[in-house]
Amino acid sequence: MRVTEDLEELRESRRSLRGSFGLVPTMGALHEGHASLVGRAREECDAVGVSIFVNPAQFGPGEDLGAYPRPIGRDLEMLESLGADLVWTPAAASLYPPGYQTWVTVEEITRPLEGGCRPGHFRGVATVVAKLFNAFTPDRAYFGQKDAQQVAVIRRMVRDLDFPLEVVVCPTVREPDGLALSSRNAYLGAEERRAAAVLHRALAAARALYDAGERAGEALRAAMREELRSEPLAREEYVSVADPETLLELDRVESGGLLSLAARIGRTRLIDNLTLEGRGR
Ligand code: AMP
């Protein structure tokens, strides 16, 4: 496994790899969710690259950029054991040197949900992912369904900017109580960790209603709100029942939908989602 901070070294190593190449972009503090992406890339590609970069451009003022966990030694051990071929760990100052002024802005679909709560977040995400695509020139890039809006934004960017690669989306890996794995779960105290399972319970409550025949978006949103309110340590930021492509809120769910929510558990902000399958009529 080659590990480098340097872009030129990365490009040289990349050129020496033959066959199909899969990229897994991460911010490090790796867990089984990330491992599932690397494992899928390993199955589908001849060589696998991983980036570890806590991207300052996607954090707003007052967010957790400084506190974000950076256990680089443990991450590299894990990637070695998963069979990654190439790891890039660039410094922020080399990706965004003084004078940097070029940004990728995906428009409509970055406005609701996470974009509404975190202005500028997806400009940072789209820009860094475009730079990662240019650096690694992957044939496939692997992302988690856990960040559903991010997937929609990257897919849109890949189509709009003609990146010659396939976006592969992997299912959300969860703890036994349903909590989606996230590097941010490390911020939770024991009581908060218990309380955090309410996010998945809220999504599951809405999906159960849907499975029982409910199609009104507002009824599904109300079910999520009610479940979140039942947990005193949780504070809702949004609940949503949206079209999975446009991310616009649905009055009625007729041909599939995306249930998503964001909540604070104490000071930790968590997100999660589930998809509703459309049933052919
Ligand atoms: P991050 O390091 O949080 O930027 O995540 C890197 C990639 O891993 C993103 O594509 C995430 O969607 C994905 N990911 C994070 N958590 C999970 C999870 N629990 N299950 C599956 N994929 C995940």
Side-chain angles (χ1 to χ4, degrees), residues 58-60 63 113-122 184 269:
Q58 71 189 68
F59 287 75
E63 291 188 358
L113 308 177
E114 288 302 283
C117 296
R118 304 182 69 189
H121 171 67
F122 287 116
R184 290 191 167 98
R269 184 174 185 282

Side-chain angles (χ1 to χ4, degrees), residues 25-28 31 33-34 37 68 143-144 146-147 150 171-173 181:
T26 83
M27 299 205 300
H31 50 63
H34 299 108
L37 270 55
Y68 201 86
F143 294 90
K146 159 83 184 352
D147 297 284
Q150 172 169 282
T172 302
V173 178
L181 297 194

Side-chain angles (χ1 to χ4, degrees), residues 114-138:
E114 288 302 283
C117 296
R118 304 182 69 189
H121 171 67
F122 287 116
R123 182 180 89 141
V125 170
T127 300
V128 82
V129 172
K131 286 166 74 76
L132 294 171
F133 288 171
N134 284 333
F136 281 93
T137 63

Side-chain angles (χ1 to χ4, degrees), residues 99-122:
Y100 189 89
Q101 52 187 294
T102 303
W103 300 98
V104 178
T105 306
V106 180
E107 300 199 340
E108 272 90 0
I109 54 169
T110 66
R111 290 190 185 122
L113 308 177
E114 288 302 283
C117 296
R118 304 182 69 189
H121 171 67
F122 287 116

Side-chain angles (χ1 to χ4, degrees), residues 2 27 51 67 79 93 131 140 146 153 235-236 259 262 280:
R2 294 284 301 271
M27 299 205 300
S51 59
L79 292 176
K131 286 166 74 76
R140 301 194 185 89
K146 159 83 184 352
V153 170
R235 213 169 63 245
E236 173 193 323
L259 300 172

Side-chain angles (χ1 to χ4, degrees), residues 37 106 109-110 114 121-122 125-126 129 133 141-159 165-172 244-245 247 258 271 273 275:
L37 270 55
V106 180
I109 54 169
T110 66
E114 288 302 283
H121 171 67
F122 287 116
V125 170
V129 172
F133 288 171
Y142 293 81
F143 294 90
Q145 174 63 26
K146 159 83 184 352
D147 297 284
Q149 189 173 15
Q150 172 169 282
V151 166
V153 170
I154 301 299
R155 280 195 194 286
R156 190 69 256 170
M157 178 185 82
V158 164
R159 281 202 292 269
L165 57 86
E166 180 191 348
V167 172
V168 181
V169 181
C170 304
T172 302
E245 276 201 19
L247 303 180
L258 177 73
I271 61 173
N273 69 85
T275 52

